Amino acid sequence: MSTLRGVVTGLPEWDRCAVMGVVNVTPDSFSDGGQWFDTGAAVKHGLELVAEGADLVDVGGESTRPGAPRVDEAEELRRVLPVVRGLASEGVLVSVDTMRAAVAEQAVAAGAVLVNDVSGGLADPAMVPVVADAGVPFVVMHWRGFSDEMSSRAIYADVVGEVVDELRERMDAVVAGGIPPERIVLDPGLGFAKEAGHDLTLLARLGELRSFGRPLLVAASRKRFLGRVLAGAEGSPPPARERDAATAAVSAISAREGAWAVRVHEVRATADAVRVARAVEGAAG
């Protein structure tokens, strides 16, 4: 099944959709801000996620929730590097979630094996050459602007067509910048410059995003569109931490549609979900 999902040079081949656990080393994440702000707590949490079934752990020091202000580079480095170093020293496959080339470069030096840039290299012109020189895989997400402006850019005539076109343009630029296609993972950017209906449409048509022939990362965990679905027409969305069952449902759907990996805060239910999806695939022959 690895050929269905795609292979990423520099990372293991899993026989199912991989699970990427999230460690937010921030005081203001939308879902778990402050819980893992201490380095020791963050490393411990990352190890717990691996014990629960995470294949990789994504460490980030800057919140990308809608409207979030940016932190400066020095603070992001202070938050991220000790956690990357601590997890990597325990043998964990670590991804660094950053839009800054300097953070990516130093995180890779500290042991990170994957750079996950929600801007796909647009936020920092130095990112693509740094990742190319580092020789690590790169996640290119669909992105239309920073957190304080992205909501105003959630305007689409054809969300799938436009996301495909914009991702293709970005992937071409990243390849031209020196990152080989076989090291690129694509992410449709659920929740980034998208309304709930856009996110659901992208999930419903995930197969069309696989037309690039590159692996897909789906990051739906606890996001606003799930809150809208759970609330119904008149209700109030449940808090982010009460959206984990819905997240696991999306993980199962994504796995069934051939996603390479799903990025989640609560790992155990999703680890179960992707294994069930794989068992169903196997039974189908």
Side-chain angles (χ1 to χ4, degrees), residues 142 144 153-167 188-206 208-209 212:
H142 177 260
R144 285 186 167 183
R153 300 189 179 189
I155 299 170
Y156 302 87
D158 169 13
V159 66
V160 176
E162 290 172 55
V163 167
V164 166
D165 288 346
E166 290 167 33
L167 269 178
L190 301 178
F192 286 80
K194 296 171 188 71
E195 302 295 343
H198 300 140
D199 293 328
L200 291 166
T201 299
L202 285 164
L203 282 172
R205 296 167 61 186
L206 209 55
E208 293 176 48
L209 293 169
F212 296 94

Side-chain angles (χ1 to χ4, degrees), residues 23-25 35-47 83 87:
V23 175
N24 289 315
V25 195
Q35 278 192 283
W36 325 118
F37 196 41
D38 171 76
T39 296
V43 171
K44 181 174 182 288
H45 182 55
L47 294 173
V83 180
L87 288 171

Side-chain angles (χ1 to χ4, degrees), residues 32-85:
D32 54 9
Q35 278 192 283
W36 325 118
F37 196 41
D38 171 76
T39 296
V43 171
K44 181 174 182 288
H45 182 55
L47 294 173
E48 289 169 348
L49 294 180
V50 172
E52 291 171 0
D55 301 295
L56 310 97
V57 173
D58 194 40
V59 178
E62 180 175 24
S63 175
T64 52
R65 62 181 170 78
R70 297 210 70 189
V71 299
D72 64 40
E73 183 178 294
E75 175 62 13
E76 188 180 354
L77 285 166
R78 187 193 70 77
R79 295 175 181 183
V80 166
L81 291 184
V83 180
V84 171
R85 192 174 293 113

Side-chain angles (χ1 to χ4, degrees), residues 18-26 29-33 35-37 41-50 52-64 83 87 92-98 116 118 187 192 217-223 244 247 251 261-268 270:
V19 179
M20 178 185 284
V22 179
V23 175
N24 289 315
V25 195
T26 63
S29 166
F30 79 98
S31 75
D32 54 9
Q35 278 192 283
W36 325 118
F37 196 41
V43 171
K44 181 174 182 288
H45 182 55
L47 294 173
E48 289 169 348
L49 294 180
V50 172
E52 291 171 0
D55 301 295
L56 310 97
V57 173
D58 194 40
V59 178
E62 180 175 24
S63 175
T64 52
V83 180
L87 288 171
V92 176
L93 291 176
V94 180
S95 164
V96 61
D97 177 1
T98 184
N116 179 15
V118 298
D187 179 343
F192 286 80
L217 172 66
V218 177
S221 185
R222 297 179 175 175
K223 287 189 173 174
D244 289 330
T247 297
S251 296
V262 287
R263 179 183 182 275
V264 297
H265 297 84
E266 198 284 315
V267 163
R268 193 178 300 279
T270 276

